[in-house]
Amino acid sequence: MAPSATVTATASTPKTQLRGASPPKSESKTGSSGKHEDHDRFFWTYTEEPHRTRRQAIIKAHPEVTKLCGPEPLTKYLVLAVVLLQTALAVLLRNTPVLTPRFLLTAYLVGATANQNLFLAIHEISHNLAFRSPTANRLLAIVANLPIGVPYSASFRPYHLTHHKSLGVDGLDTDLPTRAEAWLLDSVAGKALFCTFQLLFYAIRPMCVYRIPLTLVHAANIAVQVAFDMALVRWAGGRALGYLILSSFLAGSLHPCAAHFIAEHYVFAKTQTRGGRSGRGETGEAAKGVPLPETYSYYGPLNVLTYNVGLHNEHHDFPAIPWTRLPKLSKIASEFYDDLPCHKSWVLVMWQFILDPEVGLWCRVKREQGGRMVGGGASRAANGGWREEELGANETGKHIPGVQ
């Protein structure tokens, strides 16, 4: 469904992609074996990911933005409030049949929104942006995980930080769909299936790409979650736990807030800039040498419920800036963001992703080299560890709180 979107790098071919324009369909990616892979229609690029370069440029133009880095005290209170809300609702619905409007509507309207909020709280905490202490952040993530019903916060962090460090790198960035997914789901029905069950795809895919070493944090995450689930079933019954599991499923399904998974990094030609211009950018000869957008921000009301995750260019540029200060970063460095293509409706994003034949799982920018795996174990030792400045605003070697 998606147009051919790869180029073969030669001495006469610019090693980049064209903004908003696909190369001719006859062109294809050249694999390491030298054979053309005509069945591979991802957007392959040979350039560095854009966020580090823009981060350096923003710091040079506005050095005061580094003062925005560091933990946000409000996060822990919001996490505790939502955990208590979901636990209370689970208990209140313990005698309500599952297949009733009251149960299902509560799970969709309240539960899914609340659990998506907790997903993104864990995302925020993974960058150490709730406390200065890494241990305190790990513990808060485990607490935020409780109403989700399935332990995942400990595993999410190394995969997510690798996504930042290795954006678009095939075999490292587990946010990227695999070739099998893109091929099998290359239809309206396939994309609808992906959107309906995308939480399962995001849960299973990382383990199929590579596995991270288990740590004591993983053990604590599993032990606490199992204990919570067993206690809830014992004292409130199976429907209470069922409410939480259903809320988590719906949070990653056909729900407006779930569209952020698609909006963040899938390439959309039909977008606008924040100022209202077409986000497609230049095309044809004028587009040569212009990198294809890899990250899209969303500027809309649902950011209020989702820790401003919609400000995704801003977040990837400065992972050490917490959600409450991303709007200020966007305002200070507006000249860097106003002309980038963005989304203004997550509902429209999901609708367009499913129905538009020009958008699909093939529409992701990939690179073969670069990046690095983040995490413990042998891979970390082999890489000499990772420095805190590699995942935050710091490019000077000085300590920035919240990026340890």
Side-chain angles (χ1 to χ4, degrees):
M1 300 294 291
S4 177
T6 53
V7 295
T8 302
T10 66
S12 59
T13 303
K15 295 183 179 181
T16 187
Q17 295 297 326
L18 312 184
R19 176 181 294 171
S22 299
K25 291 188 177 182
S26 60
E27 298 188 47
S28 61
K29 170 180 169 271
T30 300
S32 58
S33 62
K35 296 180 180 179
H36 290 284
E37 301 172 9
D38 294 317
H39 56 284
D40 187 328
R41 292 180 286 144
F42 290 109
F43 292 83
W44 286 91
T45 184
Y46 302 91
T47 61
E48 182 185 45
E49 61 90 8
H51 298 288
R52 182 176 182 274
T53 301
R54 186 161 57 234
R55 177 163 65 245
Q56 291 175 318
I58 290 174
I59 290 174
K60 183 177 181 180
H62 303 284
E64 67 273 18
V65 299
T66 59
K67 297 179 181 179
L68 301 175
C69 298
E72 170 52 65
L74 179 61
T75 300
K76 58 181 175 289
Y77 299 114
L78 287 179
V79 166
L80 293 175
V82 177
V83 168
L84 290 174
L85 170 66
Q86 279 294 80
T87 304
L89 287 174
V91 173
L92 290 172
L93 291 171
R94 65 187 182 279
N95 296 321
T96 304
V98 174
L99 298 179
T100 60
R102 180 186 180 192
F103 193 100
L104 296 176
L105 286 175
T106 303
Y108 185 82
L109 296 175
V110 182
T113 305
N115 276 14
Q116 182 64 248
N117 177 273
L118 290 173
F119 290 156
L120 295 169
I122 291 171
H123 165 263
E124 188 79 4
I125 297 164
S126 72
H127 292 283
N128 285 352
L129 291 177
F131 298 97
R132 295 186 183 276
S133 164
T135 301
N137 282 286
R138 302 297 83 73
L139 293 175
L140 182 63
I142 291 173
V143 172
N145 199 148
L146 293 178
I148 293 169
V150 178
Y152 93 101
S153 65
S155 295
F156 172 79
R157 185 172 188 265
Y159 281 122
H160 179 68
L161 296 185
T162 298
H163 162 67
H164 273 266
K165 185 61 183 168
S166 307
L167 182 66
V169 178
D170 195 34
L172 284 180
D173 185 357
T174 57
D175 189 69
L176 294 167
T178 62
R179 193 176 303 168
E181 290 174 80
W183 184 77
L184 290 171
L185 302 174
D186 192 21
S187 65
V188 171
K191 291 186 289 183
L193 180 70
F194 175 79
C195 288
T196 303
F197 297 97
Q198 62 179 316
L199 193 66
L200 298 181
F201 285 94
Y202 280 105
I204 296 171
R205 182 195 302 145
M207 295 182 289
C208 297
V209 177
Y210 69 89
R211 294 186 181 183
I212 58 175
L214 297 180
T215 66
L216 290 176
V217 178
H218 291 86
N221 187 193
I222 294 170
V224 171
Q225 188 65 56
V226 170
F228 175 84
D229 291 350
M230 291 178 64
L232 186 65
V233 171
R234 178 178 177 85
W235 297 107
R239 287 174 182 165
L241 180 60
Y243 164 77
L244 296 180
I245 298 294
L246 180 60
S247 295
S248 295
F249 172 76
L250 294 174
S253 185
L254 298 175
H255 189 278
C257 292
H260 82 85
F261 291 119
I262 296 168
E264 291 164 359
H265 296 292
Y266 281 89
V267 177
F268 285 75
K270 299 175 183 178
T271 59
Q272 291 185 333
T273 66
R274 190 157 56 175
R277 296 191 301 102
S278 171
R280 190 178 180 97
E282 302 293 342
T283 60
E285 290 297 316
K288 288 185 176 179
V290 179
L292 193 76
E294 298 185 43
T295 305
Y296 292 72
S297 286
Y298 155 77
Y299 301 104
L302 293 180
N303 278 321
V304 174
L305 301 173
T306 55
Y307 285 89
N308 280 327
V309 74
L311 278 66
H312 216 64
N313 267 304
E314 292 86 339
H315 169 65
H316 268 266
D317 288 350
F318 291 90
I321 294 181
W323 60 283
T324 53
R325 300 170 208 153
L326 286 175
K328 188 170 184 179
L329 165 67
S330 189
K331 182 178 180 180
I332 291 174
S334 60
E335 70 272 25
F336 290 91
Y337 297 115
D338 284 348
D339 291 332
L340 296 179
C342 65
H343 298 293
K344 297 184 179 180
S345 168
W346 275 341
V347 174
L348 181 60
V349 163
M350 191 171 289
W351 181 267
Q352 184 180 347
F353 180 82
I354 294 173
L355 297 180
D356 190 339
E358 294 186 2
V359 183
L361 276 78
W362 292 110
C363 294
R364 288 294 299 265
V365 175
K366 283 193 175 186
R367 45 181 55 85
E368 288 185 328
Q369 299 177 344
R372 187 160 36 167
M373 189 183 300
V374 174
S379 61
R380 179 174 178 180
N383 288 325
W386 52 275
R387 300 185 304 276
E388 59 181 340
E389 64 266 22
E390 293 177 334
L391 296 171
N394 180 18
E395 295 293 341
T396 65
K398 297 179 180 178
H399 178 69
I400 293 293
V403 200
Q404 189 167 354

